[in-house]
Amino acid sequence: MKTDRTFSESDPCSNSPTYKYRGGLYVFLYICAIVLVALILNQDIHAAEIPSSEKPKVLKLAHNLHQTHPVHLAFIAMRDKLNTLSEGRLKMKVYPAGQMGSSTEILQMLQIGALDMAKGSASDLETFESSFSLFNLPFLFEDEQHFDAVLNGEVGRTVMQKTRALGFFCMTSYVAGYRSFYAKKPIHTPADLKGMKVRVQVSPMNLEMVRLMGGSATSMSFGEVYTALQQGVVDVAENNESSWVETRHIEVTPYFSETRHLSLPDFLTVSTQSWNRLSPQEQIWLQEAADYSARLQRENWHKSTDEAREKALASGGKMITVDREAFRQSVTPLYEQFRSKDDQRELLEQTLLLKRA
Ligand code: GCU
């Protein structure tokens, strides 16, 4: 019986064109395999020639802000400083704009050692460690000196170390100015928030704050806010000027109502596993580079806020004056709730003591 074979198994020298083609292909693949093995071996030989102590270590840092945001620029300054201090032996790679996941996801990655560093705002961190909720109390700080005294003093230092048992801790903090509400229309008083859906960060304190102010709050990660505002999933968001402008939320919500209700720091967090893998000298370099970036960011904050405001006005944004006192009054029950836990009451009292007389 005639079969449809393309070449005869009994005759390896078959003249079938398909057989010739396959034969050629096998020879080609064989040569490729030899070349590949040679390349790998060659690489290994070179790797073996470089002492392992001289191979740069690369630490990954992820965050959710835009590449023009002042906090991202601070991380870039930190990366460059680290490279200089360590003479290229310890490097950093920065992954901005939520490339590695939401704030909550990247903090969870630190816990399992899947990422070395991340930015977490005081709201993001509140769900990991409740003492961060101190910074989520609206109208807490009298002025910037008060904010700095709390954050850089005993209270700040204590809170920043509190997550150690969870697998990460805060190396330094960045200022994030004041948060205000923005929407498609002006908001002057808490009554204007009635019936409006307000996006807040993933923070129980922020949810309660908006509820007390009269709005209907919903938590959502930063990366989803633009579309949610555009499509009317939420009516209002709240943030500082830089985030409003640099993330282009202004395009869909041009009215910035200056409640200045929260002054929430951002924190640079590091995985305890990654930290422990560094030598004492590398830890010194990393801390020095982090401190440098925080100093630089503080120095530049006002300038970047002013620039964001100018950009906003130039592109049709409107700054609205509000009845701040009415907003302040509306959230006083939040202070009572906060005081109901002993450790929180203590933190709050220490904080209030630092107000200038
Ligand atoms: C600010 C803050 C970020 C935060 C963001 C948000 O931009 O600096 O850390 O993630 O607000 O509202 O989610």
Side-chain angles (χ1 to χ4, degrees):
M1 198 176 70
K2 211 164 179 268
T3 61
D4 238 340
R5 284 182 308 175
T6 50
F7 68 93
S8 156
E9 281 151 1
S10 57
D11 176 13
C13 299
S14 161
N15 266 339
S16 147
T18 312
Y19 177 75
K20 275 191 187 155
Y21 169 71
R22 289 207 179 168
L25 185 68
Y26 293 145
V27 171
F28 174 70
L29 288 176
Y30 181 65
I31 292 171
C32 285
I34 292 178
V35 171
L36 198 69
V37 170
L39 281 174
I40 292 169
L41 286 177
N42 191 36
Q43 250 189 9
D44 274 356
I45 290 163
H46 281 299
E49 280 164 3
I50 302 171
S52 67
S53 58
E54 286 184 18
K55 274 195 245 162
K57 277 188 196 163
V58 183
L59 301 173
K60 293 185 188 141
L61 185 159
H63 68 82
N64 60 354
L65 299 168
H66 196 264
Q67 273 117 309
T68 50
H69 194 282
V71 173
H72 173 77
L73 300 178
F75 292 144
I76 295 301
M78 176 177 173
R79 179 197 68 189
D80 296 345
K81 185 74 172 176
L82 184 63
N83 194 36
T84 310
L85 287 172
S86 70
E87 292 170 350
R89 280 170 281 179
L90 188 58
K91 290 180 176 282
M92 259 173 73
K93 189 158 169 45
V94 183
Y95 297 84
Q99 280 172 34
M100 286 247 192
S102 71
S103 299
T104 308
E105 286 162 351
I106 57 177
L107 289 168
Q108 286 165 343
M109 284 165 76
L110 294 186
Q111 293 186 286
I112 56 167
L115 178 68
D116 304 303
M117 290 181 283
K119 174 200 63 86
S121 76
S123 303
D124 302 323
L125 288 159
E126 189 193 323
T127 49
F128 290 82
E129 161 55 48
S130 63
S131 13
F132 283 93
S133 52
L134 172 78
F135 299 108
N136 290 278
L137 277 171
F139 303 102
L140 176 66
F141 299 109
E142 197 172 52
D143 51 26
E144 283 173 30
Q145 282 82 356
H146 183 208
F147 174 88
D148 280 340
V150 175
L151 200 60
N152 302 329
E154 187 57 31
V155 175
R157 278 197 296 274
T158 310
V159 174
M160 280 168 65
Q161 295 300 319
K162 284 239 179 182
T163 55
R164 269 193 184 262
L166 298 173
F168 64 86
F169 61 94
C170 301
M171 295 188 72
T172 192
S173 63
Y174 302 93
V175 286
Y178 291 98
R179 296 174 81 93
S180 291
F181 292 113
Y182 44 89
K184 290 190 169 57
K185 58 183 190 184
I187 293 159
H188 297 103
T189 65
D192 293 333
L193 280 179
K194 200 163 168 36
M196 294 186 97
K197 286 168 285 172
V198 185
R199 178 270 171 171
V200 291
Q201 296 186 71
V202 183
S203 144
M205 290 283 280
N206 288 193
L207 287 167
E208 184 59 3
M209 172 190 79
V210 168
R211 194 189 67 75
L212 288 166
M213 287 175 172
S216 154
T218 171
S219 289
M220 171 185 299
S221 75
F222 190 52
E224 295 169 42
V225 180
Y226 183 95
T227 314
L229 287 168
Q230 189 183 40
Q231 297 181 352
V233 175
V234 292
D235 308 301
V236 188
E238 45 94 59
N239 220 313
N240 53 49
E241 290 89 333
S242 292
S243 296
W244 175 51
V245 173
E246 302 303 343
T247 323
R248 306 194 344 266
H249 294 175
I250 184 175
E251 288 174 3
V252 284
T253 42
Y255 289 93
F256 193 83
S257 297
E258 302 204 61
T259 43
R260 297 161 72 86
H261 53 271
L262 280 173
S263 193
L264 281 178
D266 276 334
F267 293 93
L268 172 62
T269 53
V270 61
S271 159
T272 319
Q273 291 185 37
S274 307
W275 178 259
N276 291 342
R277 274 199 297 269
L278 298 176
S279 70
Q281 178 58 71
E282 288 167 339
Q283 291 175 350
I284 292 171
W285 287 330
L286 190 63
Q287 187 65 59
E288 203 174 320
D291 294 344
Y292 165 79
S293 72
R295 276 198 309 276
L296 201 72
Q297 194 259 356
R298 272 174 164 71
E299 279 165 26
N300 289 333
W301 179 258
H302 288 290
K303 192 166 157 274
S304 43
T305 301
D306 291 347
E307 281 168 7
R309 290 177 75 94
E310 276 167 30
K311 266 198 208 174
L313 292 174
S315 60
K318 304 266 184 292
M319 300 308 199
I320 310 297
T321 308
V322 305
D323 182 354
R324 278 190 91 220
E325 198 41 43
F327 282 99
R328 186 197 303 274
Q329 289 296 330
S330 70
V331 292
T332 46
L334 205 48
Y335 279 73
E336 296 322 311
Q337 288 172 27
F338 190 81
R339 280 197 171 92
S340 64
K341 288 194 188 146
D342 289 347
D343 54 336
Q344 293 188 349
R345 186 172 50 250
E346 205 173 306
L347 276 180
L348 179 57
E349 270 152 25
Q350 278 175 270
T351 299
L352 296 177
L353 278 177
L354 291 168
K355 275 190 185 183
R356 280 183 305 169

